[in-house]
Amino acid sequence: MAGKVFFSVTMSLDGFMAPEAVPVEDVFSPEGQNDPRVQRWMRKWSELQAWAFPQRFFRENLKLGEGGEEGLDNDIAWATHERTGASVMGKRMFDAGELAWPEEAPFHTPVFVVTHTRREPWERPGGTTFHFVNDGIEAALDQAREAAGDRDVRIAGGAETILEYVNAGLIDEFSIALSPVLFGSGIRLFEGVDADRVALEPVRAEPTQWVTHLTYAVRER
């Protein structure tokens, strides 16, 4: 039996998944670190993700060192990773990750990148191989389903790619770690959602010291 298609992201209290877009090469270049736009982006991003990086799972998976917090936040992060048999992402997320991820990319499963750029599969240590899909979101999902087998497929991001899958009726479930920060502007997770098509069914709400984890099943109206 095929697994679910889901996404799991952190969102600000006012609905933003990321700060305003800045060129990824600026964010991750030594020269860009003195750019006020980059400094503002990094500050807001760090505030949004403040719940995640102290967790033991994230520290181990991103090679940030030993130790870390254990508890519900850590359990949810670990369970999300364990249920994922393959991931799908957009080209912008891949471009940023290619600069930021450690050599052993943190997926440890096949990843399918929706892109117009033709490129041979890119294999990384630790079990992650990036495959570049040039014929749309459904083709990428078909390949991810096959690779995942009985496990779930995660639509990793970014917001535009997630929204494409939501509006196409291809998402079964999603989780949001609702972070108690306000952005005021940036990249909204649900900007342009087809609200006439998409209905949500609450599954669970799990508050912690850091965030509130909200899970919804997606139904077609």
Side-chain angles (χ1 to χ4, degrees):
M1 181 177 178
K4 293 180 179 179
V5 180
F6 78 104
F7 67 87
S8 178
V9 299
T10 303
M11 187 175 76
S12 71
L13 198 59
D14 52 346
F16 295 97
M17 184 174 158
E20 298 89 341
V22 296
V24 294
E25 59 271 17
D26 291 348
V27 173
F28 298 108
S29 70
E31 299 79 11
Q33 303 311 300
N34 295 321
D35 186 331
R37 297 176 308 147
V38 172
Q39 293 173 348
R40 183 170 182 269
W41 192 97
M42 291 298 298
R43 175 179 57 79
K44 294 176 77 172
W45 177 255
S46 297
E47 290 176 356
L48 182 68
Q49 302 293 345
W51 75 274
F53 291 112
Q55 305 307 318
R56 184 182 186 94
F57 168 77
F58 278 103
R59 291 187 58 79
E60 291 177 349
N61 200 35
L62 291 172
K63 309 303 181 187
L64 299 176
E66 297 180 355
E69 295 186 7
E70 297 185 19
L72 182 57
D73 289 313
N74 188 68
D75 292 345
I76 288 173
W78 180 85
T80 299
H81 177 79
E82 285 298 298
R83 70 183 285 192
T84 303
S87 295
V88 177
M89 68 179 59
K91 180 64 160 53
R92 177 177 169 79
M93 181 177 178
F94 172 79
D95 287 345
E98 188 175 15
L99 296 173
W101 293 319
E103 182 181 11
E104 186 175 313
F107 300 94
H108 310 292
T109 62
V111 179
F112 297 86
V113 182
V114 181
T115 178
H116 297 296
T117 302
R118 296 192 177 277
R119 179 171 170 176
E120 291 299 310
W122 187 42
E123 186 174 349
R124 309 304 296 145
T128 303
T129 299
F130 294 93
H131 303 269
F132 302 89
V133 183
N134 306 121
D135 43 359
I137 63 170
E138 294 195 21
L141 181 56
D142 287 343
Q143 293 181 45
R145 284 185 190 275
E146 183 175 355
D150 293 339
R151 296 169 74 191
D152 297 338
V153 173
R154 181 179 183 181
I155 309 302
E160 182 178 342
T161 300
I162 288 172
L163 189 64
E164 285 188 79
Y165 279 98
V166 171
N167 284 342
L170 297 172
I171 298 292
D172 300 310
E173 181 181 284
F174 67 86
S175 296
I176 291 173
L178 191 62
S179 179
V181 299
L182 300 172
F183 275 12
S185 60
I187 299 174
R188 286 192 180 276
L189 176 57
F190 292 114
E191 186 73 43
V193 69
D194 186 354
D196 291 331
R197 178 175 185 177
V198 178
L200 305 180
E201 177 183 317
V203 175
R204 59 185 171 270
E206 300 170 291
T208 73
Q209 175 187 355
W210 292 93
V211 293
T212 299
H213 298 275
L214 303 171
T215 302
Y216 298 91
V218 182
R219 303 285 184 254
E220 188 166 356
R221 288 190 187 277

